[in-house]
Amino acid sequence: MALFSVFQTTFLLALLSLRTYQSEVLSEPLPWAPESLRVFINSTHQCLHLQWSVHNLAHHQELKMVFQIEISRIKTSNVIWVENYSTTVKWNQVLHWSWESKLPLECAKHFIRMRSAVDDAKTPKQSFWSNWSSWEEVHVQNSLGHDPFFVFPKDKLVEEGSNVTICYVSRSQQNNISCYLEGVRMQGEQLEPNVSVFNLNHVAFIRETGTNIYCKGDQGDSIKGIVLFVSKVLEEPKDFSCETQDLTTLNCTWDPRSDTGLLKQLSQSYTLFESFSGKKTLCKHKSWCSWEVAPESQEMYNFTLTAENYLRKRSVHLLFNLTHRVHPMAPFSVLFTDVSATNATMTWKVHSTGNYYTLLCQVELYGEGEVIQHNVSVEVDGKQLFGGLEPDTEYRAQVRCANANHFWKWSEWTRQNFTTTEAAPSEAPDVWRNVKSVQGHSVVTLFWKPLSKLQANGKILFYNIVIENLDRSSISRLLSIPAPANGTELNLDQCLYQIHVTANNSVGTSPASVIIVSGDPGNKEVEEERVKGMEDGFSLSWKPQPGNVTGYIVEWCDHPRGPLCDLQWKSVGPTTTSTVVSSDAFRPGVQYNFRIYGISTERVPYLLEKKTGYSQELAPSDNPQVVMSNLTSRSFTLSWKDYSTESQPSFIQGYHVYLKSKAGQCHSGSEKAVLSDDAVCCKYKIDNPKQKTFVVENLQPESFYEFLVTPYTSVGEGPHGAFTKVTTPDEYSPILIRIILPMVFCILLIMIICYLKSQWMKEKCYPDIPDPYKSSVLSLIKSKENPRLTIMSIKDCVPDSIEVLNKQEGTRKSLTETESSKATYLYLLPTDKSYSGPGPCICFENFTYNQAASDSASCGHVPVAPVAPPSQLGLLTSPENLLKALEKNYMNSLGEIPAGETNLNYVSQLASATSGDKFSLPTNPPEPALCSEYKMQMAIPLGLASPPSSGSSSLSSVTLLDEGEHYH
Amino acid sequence: MRAQLMRRTLPSLVLGLLFLSTPAMGSCLDKYQELLGQLQKQADIMQRTSLLLDPYIQSQGLDKDGLKEHCRERPGAFPSRDALQGLGRWEFLRTLDTTLGRVLHRLTALRRDIPKAQDLETLNRAKQNIRGFKNNIHCMAQLLPGSWETTEPTPTDPGTSPSPTPTSDTFQRRLEGCRFLHGYHRFMHSVGQVFREWGESPSRSRRHSPHQGLWKGTRRMQLSRKNKRLLPRGQLPR
């Protein structure tokens, strides 16, 4: 126990002494402290470069040390960075360390100091920090100019998305400065009284020429700014690859990816480094670079491609054997020799790639849609024989090569065309004929199909036709028809002929096609069958012939409706009894007729069968033109005989007759049908397509009907277009017509007779000289029932004078002219002695009717003036009564008289001798003044119809004058 | 965009045609009025900002409020209109030639800040136009009496150097370029006005009668044509 106490005390003392020693050592300066600390500024990169040295190191002594570096901003106490920098220090070595500031160095003062410690296992006792060096102040603002303010950092280059700190430094604290990013004001924070900073986060790429950031003073006249170059992130090159074509130069390519979008001087550069040779080259292009292959036959290459800009570096590596990256150049001098109709030899050369390389060449031959491929091993020259070619055919050959030992890439193709020579046609032309008998002769039209390219083996120049008369074998004829004719017409007699047709090109003649033609066309009457077309044509079959046939021919017209039939035919073998006939010319709705011929062993064709059909049946597009006849009250007949069933777009199976009536009842033989417009009608069905008349019966008299005739086929019926309207007559109208017509004829006959005998009738019924007994005056008098008043008979009147008026009939005279009319009076002395003195004398003046009244009838109402003034009536035996009657007439005539009633205005035939009629009396009439006179009745024109009264009767004169002519 | 391109290229084409008529054929127009009219037209076209200034402002991002107003000609960078009008004809032509020579140098310096090939093409066309214009100035000088070579260098406005030392500060350089181009277009506008005054009042400078100049110019032309045959195209006769 005592021993333990002694040991413990000794240990504590030793520990105490060691501690004391250590404190003594620390109090002394470290012999390897950093000295000569210098600070350099790189404003562009915002870097501080520190440079110092460590003294007291022995020669060749190396010491592992740690340097602790402290950086303060604005003031020394504001430490913003502390870093321990470990390195091995050698004798007399200058040490370097850099620090990049996020804040531009111009924005604030920076202070730097450092201390060191030995971190070396060899000297464990020295692992304590030295004293701090004195603070080194970095104050860039001192070196600025005299401008009122500055903006930093200048021309900084950053990557897109990074954070940037910007500041302005003002000379005066009073300056009110505002800063903008591309015209948008930024909000900053005060770092010092004259310094503000702006933190931009995740800056974006705007344009190649950089982003403008600028500050302006409150005066606005000074502006300072910077350009921030924002680069897109540099990407790693893709698809880096190297190859050689000639083993002397390597061509390396890569995809540079997206552009960094900077000015050329700031853009990235590409360098190529080969590690085995240690060579390096700066590439001039962004996506490829050339490398000279080492002459000492270096086989392996290890390339490093480095893309680098101010901010980033990207590298890719590639290791390869040169012989495995041979990309041969395209072959050249491709030639064709010994070209015949079926063979050709192709030769070519390849670029030399050294003596030890064999190339594998691939040859392709294109012709007539076929590709033939050959692989050829080549060292210097290549050769390939092509056989089995088609005559007169253009071929295209191409060749490419690759390294046979280590395939890398094929070279580019080298192409060349060649054409084989011609050969004689290999097949006989396909020949057919059409025979017509014209006036005892046969007109034979020969047709042949042009040979296909494979059969022709060259350009067909002409066709030879040899016509051999089999009945007279010695006679034959040769015709040469130049190509490209495909037929000819021959006039032959009724003999049997054998015709040989051959096709010829520049090399030779084809085999002959032989056909026998006789005067009989061989078109015996056979029944026509219907066939149904399919999508790909018509499937035709026929009965096999019992005898020997050498083949069959199906004949048809591609355009049966056209003026040119365009005869087609198809030859099949003797064992074939069916075929499908197809043609691009087949159209829906067109009827095609097929004839099937058998070819006998004597090569004589004979008709076997006829077929007809549509490739596709269509519904009829139009209805027949129907003629209606025999219309009775109970029936009518419909007829459409002009309707052609052959030219329809499908086989006509029959007709439907639609009949619409108001009754809506359908009789037997018809059925009710509902049309598309929901109209109900009766439908009669005609099953026979050849029946083209139909009698519609059981109709009602005097009824309205509508009818429509439409064909129907297997695919539908014709359009339900306009119905034809018809109305049945009544049952009696024909009878009536039989009665009325003779009656009308009779009446007309009577009227004609009356007209012809009108003069006789006039004289009988109403003569020119009126019968006073028929006068209205008489009736007027009679109406007064005055028996004393009678019409004076001429026999009772003793004439004393007769006035004869010399006046031309039918002439009208004006008023002035009437003056010249001179009246001639013939005075008749009374023979009766009882006559004493002046007695009543009656003078007749003919004012029977007034033409003016008739003429003006069209005016509607004509006021008719009284013709006889009251003064004239004084001569009447009973003036009062007569006056009354005339006044009544006068009033009537003043009133409105219907025009129709004024055609003939019968006025008084009595006139006084004292009347002022200018026609009647001279101004100085002979005595005796009072007498009766009689004047002829005549028509007086309106202008001349002056009243018989004197001018005092103005009313009369006005009313009788024409409307436009008023005389007073 | 197409319209903008048209605005830029059309005047250049017109200018090209104008230049073709004289220096491209290797000889000067010896008709004073025709040459004067051509110079007026050329100056009128070259004053258009759509030829240089507008594309420059757009490519440099200076088309922002707050920046555009600083794109103004620095006073004294180019001779003012008054200064030009106050010059005699010889002095005017000489000043014009000297100033445009400096402009050519400055345009060359501007190339480094122009990234787009299209804008570079515009710049190159403008330089060709200026060279052609300078040729015509020399032709005009031949029509004036006196000797181009013996004329004393004319003092111009103080500080009439259109090409201040380009600064390394990109932003400042950008603004300076803009101001310079603005001044250049304004200068050409003034030049056009002066030429127009020449046409309006040919007797303004009676010291140099055009007719007298014509005679002398013809004689000089004969000499210069001999020399020009040996000179490559575009090189000015001395």
Side-chain angles (χ1 to χ4, degrees), chain A residues 624-635:
Chain A
Q625 296 288 326
V626 179
V627 176
M628 188 190 67
S629 58
N630 301 335
L631 175 64
T632 66
S633 57
R634 295 286 179 180
S635 68

Side-chain angles (χ1 to χ4, degrees), chain A residues 154-155 182-183 207-210 212 214 216 220-221 223-227 229 263 265, chain B residues 59-62 64-67 69-70 112-113 115 168-172 174-175 179:
Chain A
K154 299 286 183 193
D155 303 339
E182 288 289 322
R207 67 177 74 84
E208 277 182 77
T209 52
N212 292 318
Y214 51 94
K216 295 199 292 187
D221 53 347
I223 183 169
K224 290 284 179 181
I226 61 164
V227 176
F229 292 98
L263 293 172
Q265 54 267 32
Chain B
S59 72
Q60 304 299 314
L62 298 176
K64 299 285 184 296
D65 291 337
L67 272 181
E69 50 265 36
H70 289 273
R112 59 178 287 199
D113 295 326
S168 60
D169 180 347
T170 305
F171 184 79
Q172 285 305 121
R174 191 167 284 185
L175 272 186
R179 288 164 180 158

Side-chain angles (χ1 to χ4, degrees), chain A residues 399-687:
Chain A
V399 58
R400 63 181 181 178
C401 300
N403 188 347
N405 301 320
H406 302 284
F407 180 84
W408 168 241
K409 279 181 184 175
W410 287 110
S411 70
E412 296 298 316
W413 288 105
T414 301
R415 297 181 176 88
Q416 194 73 32
N417 291 359
F418 71 98
T419 304
T420 51
T421 58
E422 289 189 1
S426 58
E427 297 284 336
D430 189 1
V431 178
W432 185 234
R433 93 292 178 268
N434 183 26
V435 181
K436 289 179 188 171
S437 290
V438 179
Q439 296 174 348
H441 288 267
S442 295
V443 178
V444 178
T445 308
L446 277 181
F447 300 98
W448 57 85
K449 293 177 182 173
L451 293 175
S452 68
K453 194 171 185 312
L454 285 176
Q455 295 168 336
N457 291 338
K459 185 180 180 184
I460 298 299
L461 301 175
F462 57 91
Y463 295 90
N464 277 341
I465 299 165
V466 177
I467 307 159
E468 187 181 356
N469 191 326
L470 294 181
D471 295 338
R472 288 172 284 176
S473 58
S474 59
I475 300 174
S476 62
R477 230 174 355 138
L478 172 65
L479 296 175
S480 187
I481 311 294
N486 60 353
T488 188
E489 195 171 272
L490 306 171
N491 284 313
L492 303 175
D493 54 22
Q494 296 295 323
C495 295
L496 200 61
Y497 286 92
Q498 179 170 285
I499 301 173
H500 303 252
V501 181
T502 55
N504 299 266
N505 61 14
S506 63
V507 176
T509 303
S510 72
S513 181
V514 181
I515 190 167
I516 304 291
V517 174
S518 67
D520 179 17
N523 295 340
K524 64 178 182 179
E525 285 301 319
V526 293
E527 193 175 344
E528 192 174 70
E529 289 180 26
R530 287 183 179 179
V531 289
K532 193 167 185 178
M534 300 177 298
E535 277 187 12
D536 55 345
F538 292 89
S539 180
L540 306 175
S541 62
W542 54 91
K543 293 172 189 169
Q545 293 304 297
N548 289 330
V549 290
T550 58
Y552 298 96
I553 285 184
V554 182
E555 173 195 280
W556 74 95
C557 289
D558 258 356
H559 303 288
R561 289 182 185 174
L564 297 174
C565 150
D566 196 5
L567 185 70
Q568 304 291 319
W569 71 95
K570 184 176 183 181
S571 305
V572 294
T575 56
T576 306
T577 56
S578 67
T579 186
V580 174
V581 175
S582 58
S583 169
D584 293 336
F586 288 159
R587 297 283 178 269
V590 177
Q591 188 174 352
Y592 295 97
N593 301 308
F594 300 92
R595 292 162 175 259
I596 299 161
Y597 292 87
I599 308 296
S600 67
T601 50
E602 293 81 21
R603 298 183 176 176
V604 177
Y606 55 94
L607 182 64
L608 295 177
E609 293 182 24
K610 283 180 173 180
K611 312 270 184 186
T612 184
Y614 293 86
S615 63
Q616 183 189 346
E617 286 191 78
L618 301 176
S621 58
D622 50 0
N623 294 325
Q625 296 288 326
V626 179
V627 176
M628 188 190 67
S629 58
N630 301 335
L631 175 64
T632 66
S633 57
R634 295 286 179 180
S635 68
F636 56 84
T637 303
L638 301 176
S639 172
W640 56 95
K641 290 185 178 174
D642 293 338
Y643 189 67
S644 168
T645 54
E646 284 75 23
S647 60
Q648 301 308 316
S650 55
F651 291 118
I652 302 296
Q653 294 179 343
Y655 302 94
H656 287 154
V657 179
Y658 291 96
L659 186 70
K660 283 186 194 174
S661 65
K662 286 184 179 174
Q665 290 182 342
C666 297
H667 296 281
S668 61
S670 66
E671 60 183 19
K672 275 196 176 181
V674 180
L675 301 177
S676 57
D677 57 352
D678 295 334
V680 178
C681 59
C682 299
K683 183 169 83 173
Y684 298 88
K685 189 173 183 181
I686 302 169
D687 291 332

Side-chain angles (χ1 to χ4, degrees), chain A residues 332-337 345-349 381-384:
Chain A
F332 63 101
S333 294
V334 175
L335 297 171
F336 295 95
T337 56
T345 303
M346 175 184 177
T347 60
W348 66 94
K349 295 179 186 296
D381 296 336
K383 183 177 181 180
Q384 175 64 41

